[in-house]
Amino acid sequence: MANNLAMADGKLEKPLILRHANLNGIKSKTEEVKAWTERGKVDIAAFVETMADDTVTDGLIADLQKYNVYRKDRAGCRKESGGGVAITAKDDLHSLRAADYEVERLELMWVKVVGMSMVALVGVLYAPGYEMEVFGKLSDSLAKIPPYLRRNLTLVGDFNCADIDWEDISAKQPRTWELVSITREFGLFQKVRGITRQHEESSSCLDLLFVTRLSLARQVSILPKLTFSHDHCGLQCSVRLWIVSFPSPPKPMWVVKSGNQQRLQRRSWL
């Protein structure tokens, strides 16, 4: 029986590939980041510590022929340099920034992605270790999100919460305990297990991935470092958002009929 969801010449796509990385500055890594995204066949990429400013164009973050770029550069934070978050989404996805759910002076950004039967919300957060109010602001942001969107929420980022034990969901510091409390209040599941940052002799799990439904993100894995000098690993998962993809319509072209310069004929590229 034909699949009624695959209408006309459209096709039912596989779940989307989501990747996350702490860039520690995009300016010196633009080619590496683009290659990392291209090789991984990434549909959605979430970046923290872009360290981008007005001199950084969207084209340095992603190939604008293939991706839409959403970004939130650092402004009004305690430290002038560093920070910044960005999300890139394949241009064949129906995506848009959900700025209504963001909070001032918080490096958090949300993007809606429209699927066949649901709308997913993808967020990226950078939580500096010195910022004591970051998770209170995160709670304020989550409270703004309507229930129908919160059901399909994925949040990634660098949370700087090395002391949390995600096996028994416990924390030692008041700042990190606040994040644990948020996971309970909003029903968030943290799916990363393992070391995501290696710096000299210390290792920790700083880069995290939260979902509101366990089935929403599958095949969660820790990726190798983006560059040799990098100390953060990347994350990857498969997001359960099905879309229908339709081929682009043929592009018309005009050709001159042989032997008759006045007669033109319209043809398709395909």
Side-chain angles (χ1 to χ4, degrees), residues 25-225:
I26 184 64
K27 292 182 180 180
S28 62
K29 302 182 182 72
T30 178
E31 295 304 321
E32 289 90 341
V33 170
K34 289 179 181 179
W36 183 80
T37 304
E38 192 78 19
R39 285 196 307 268
K41 299 180 179 179
V42 176
D43 297 291
I44 304 170
F47 301 119
V48 300
E49 285 211 276
T50 57
M51 301 185 187
D53 54 27
D54 293 342
T55 66
V56 175
T57 64
D58 291 349
L60 291 178
I61 300 174
D63 182 349
L64 300 184
Q65 298 295 319
K66 299 177 181 179
Y67 290 90
N68 292 312
V69 177
Y70 307 94
R71 54 192 276 190
K72 188 175 186 180
D73 300 341
R74 173 167 287 188
C77 205
R78 197 171 106 186
K79 289 187 176 180
E80 293 181 1
S81 60
V85 296
I87 291 177
T88 65
K90 275 281 188 73
D91 62 0
D92 59 354
L93 297 176
H94 297 287
S95 63
L96 67 158
R97 184 169 173 178
D100 289 346
Y101 311 140
E102 296 173 15
V103 176
E104 290 186 7
R105 302 176 69 85
L106 177 65
E107 289 175 294
L108 169 69
M109 185 171 59
W110 298 104
V111 169
K112 293 179 184 178
V113 184
V114 181
M116 287 194 328
S117 59
M118 73 176 193
V119 179
L121 190 64
V122 177
V124 60
L125 172 71
Y126 178 59
Y130 58 79
E131 178 58 69
M132 303 306 294
E133 299 178 356
V134 62
F135 297 128
K137 294 175 183 177
L138 172 60
S139 178
D140 293 340
S141 176
L142 291 168
K144 292 183 176 185
I145 301 171
Y148 83 93
L149 270 179
R150 207 184 298 156
R151 277 197 306 270
N152 305 312
L153 180 151
T154 302
L155 174 63
V156 295
D158 182 352
F159 288 75
N160 278 297
C161 291
D163 68 309
I164 296 181
D165 185 334
W166 291 108
E167 294 299 333
D168 60 10
I169 319 296
S170 62
K172 301 176 182 178
Q173 305 296 327
R175 175 184 175 275
T176 49
W177 182 252
E178 190 171 10
L179 178 59
V180 171
S181 299
I182 289 173
T183 65
R184 294 172 177 173
E185 179 181 358
F186 293 97
L188 301 175
F189 301 95
Q190 203 289 110
K191 301 197 70 172
V192 177
R193 298 292 186 272
I195 302 303
T196 67
R197 182 176 186 259
Q198 186 79 42
H199 181 66
E200 296 178 351
E201 300 300 320
S202 66
S203 59
S204 52
C205 182
L206 302 184
D207 303 272
L208 308 176
L209 186 150
F210 295 91
V211 291
T212 47
R213 289 188 293 114
L214 286 171
S215 61
L216 188 61
R218 301 185 180 185
Q219 299 174 314
V220 178
S221 59
I222 298 174
L223 302 175
K225 299 175 182 179

Side-chain angles (χ1 to χ4, degrees), residues 11-17 40-41 43 238-239 241-243:
K11 61 180 181 178
L12 200 62
E13 292 284 6
K14 63 180 178 61
L16 306 179
I17 299 299
K41 299 180 179 179
D43 297 291
S238 172
V239 177
L241 178 71
W242 294 89
I243 62 171

